[in-house]
Amino acid sequence: MLIRPYEPGDAAGLAAVFFAAVCRTGLCDYSAAQVEAWAPGVPDTAAVGARAGDGRLVLVAVNAANEPVAYGDLEATGHIDHLYCHPDFGRAGVASALYDCLERKAREQGMTRLFVEASEAARRLFPRKRFIEVRRRDFCLRGVAIHNYLMEKRLFPGETS
């Protein structure tokens, strides 16, 4: 597995990874109605491309055919908005390795805090990366009650992930 920066041709692959991750992995922790509200369809590739090009860092894990199997992003504020892995590659350390790369980049940029709104599945990963849970967030998405967890990690000089 290779982790590399986002390339313009990745948009469709990222959209597919997102949709598969939410629709298949999400059903382990959320109801069908919640999953439908979260991902009512495969995201528009133009929107995915525009988002990836808005200044955030987007890293992509690819297979031997250079096809995205996971991706994550890091905003200038230290916010990790997306960290998604295709379910066919779940539990293989892909999301963990991708996160480690994002954290290294954050440290290189001098960031002192990372934060995320973690789904139930992500809530199992982030504590292993020394994130603490700040609070549960309950909200409505497309008229459906759903939740996630605000989690954060302080980054200290000289410390490694």
Side-chain angles (χ1 to χ4, degrees):
M1 176 194 63
L2 171 72
I3 296 175
R4 59 160 173 77
Y6 171 85
E7 297 172 355
D10 292 334
L14 269 56
V17 166
F18 170 84
F19 190 70
V22 172
C23 290
R24 288 177 42 198
T25 306
L27 283 174
C28 296
D29 299 299
Y30 295 95
S31 71
Q34 290 170 318
V35 168
E36 173 71 19
W38 187 357
V42 177
D44 175 69
T45 56
V48 171
R51 188 175 177 284
D54 71 0
R56 72 186 67 218
L57 170 68
V58 180
L59 296 179
V60 182
V62 295
N63 62 17
N66 198 36
E67 300 163 331
V69 299
Y71 73 98
D73 66 23
L74 175 65
E75 297 173 346
T77 60
H79 182 229
I80 297 171
D81 191 27
H82 281 200
L83 183 59
Y84 289 98
C85 182
H86 193 284
D88 292 347
F89 295 85
R91 300 195 169 272
V94 177
S96 180
L98 194 51
Y99 168 80
D100 290 344
C101 288
L102 289 170
E103 183 176 320
R104 270 195 301 281
K105 293 294 187 181
R107 290 179 182 283
E108 289 170 8
Q109 294 176 29
M111 292 182 186
T112 58
R113 175 181 176 258
L114 296 176
F115 66 102
V116 62
E117 294 86 16
S119 67
E120 289 287 347
R123 185 178 179 221
R124 293 187 283 274
L125 168 70
F126 284 106
R128 293 195 309 266
K129 298 301 182 177
R130 300 194 319 257
F131 275 71
I132 60 163
E133 186 176 310
V134 176
R135 66 181 167 87
R136 178 178 161 135
R137 297 177 63 245
D138 292 285
F139 56 97
C140 280
L141 182 63
R142 295 182 179 88
V144 178
I146 193 167
H147 67 276
N148 60 25
Y149 300 87
L150 176 60
M151 302 181 81
E152 70 177 9
K153 178 179 182 175
R154 297 289 175 181
L155 304 179
F156 300 100
E159 179 186 59
T160 60
S161 59

